[in-house]
């Protein structure tokens, strides 16, 4: 992690990221209404849109024509770390794949985990 330099990032455990994303989305850090103000979405890269300090991950209809994949809000880091909330199903996911070569794996894993949780 020291090779990334000082980019404003932080090093954390998955457990701490889970505590943070839940507090962030449930209004424990600031009034919950503020979260709505951050959700001004601009396309970043498929399937990610960027708000003000947060991301929206939502598969477009042509990848998910039956709309079975929930959407997520949160953020992802350089090393494949993710901390996201699925508002539709009240799921919080945090973790990492610990590598930068395939950042898509973090999103695929997150989506698959959420689908498994929704089924059970």
């Amino acid at each position: 992690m020291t090779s990334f330099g000082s980019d404003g990032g932080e090093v954390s455990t998955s457990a701490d990221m889970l505590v943070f994303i839940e507090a962030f989305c449930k209004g424990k850090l600031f009034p919950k209404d503020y979260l709505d103000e951050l959700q001004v979405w601009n396309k970043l890269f498929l399937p990610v849109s960027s708000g003000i300090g947060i991301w929206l991950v939502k598969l477009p209809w042509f990848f998910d024509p039956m709309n079975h994949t929930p959407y997520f809000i949160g953020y992802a880091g350089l090393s494949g770390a993710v901390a996201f909330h699925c508002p539709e199903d009240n799921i919080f996911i945090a973790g990492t794949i610990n590598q930068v070569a395939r950042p898509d794996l973090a999103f695929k894993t997150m989506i698959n985990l959420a689908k498994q949780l929704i089924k059970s």
Side-chain angles (χ1 to χ4, degrees):
M1 295 302 293
T2 58
S3 65
F4 288 130
S6 61
D7 65 354
E10 67 181 67
V11 177
S12 182
T13 66
S14 295
D16 286 347
M17 288 191 319
L18 190 59
V19 169
F20 176 81
I21 193 67
E22 186 173 355
F24 181 85
C25 291
K26 287 190 172 183
K28 295 177 183 176
L29 298 176
F30 51 81
K32 196 171 180 179
D33 296 346
Y34 289 4
L35 187 59
D36 294 335
E37 295 177 24
L38 303 177
Q39 298 181 49
V40 179
W41 305 120
N42 297 297
K43 299 248 183 264
L44 191 57
F45 55 85
L46 197 62
V48 178
S49 296
S50 179
I52 301 172
I54 60 173
W55 286 357
L56 168 70
V57 177
K58 181 166 179 35
L59 291 179
W61 67 269
F62 50 87
F63 285 139
D64 189 24
M66 302 302 284
N67 202 24
H68 288 136
T69 304
Y71 72 93
F72 302 86
I73 59 170
Y75 206 75
L78 293 173
S79 65
V82 294
F84 281 90
H85 173 57
C86 173
E88 293 174 341
D89 298 294
N90 199 32
I91 296 171
F92 293 90
I93 295 178
T96 184
I97 57 169
N98 285 330
Q99 56 92 23
V100 295
R102 294 272 319 272
D104 61 310
L105 289 178
F107 294 105
K108 288 177 181 176
T109 302
M110 177 181 71
I111 289 168
N112 287 334
L113 282 171
K115 285 182 173 183
Q116 291 301 314
L117 289 169
I118 293 167
K119 283 183 187 177
S120 59

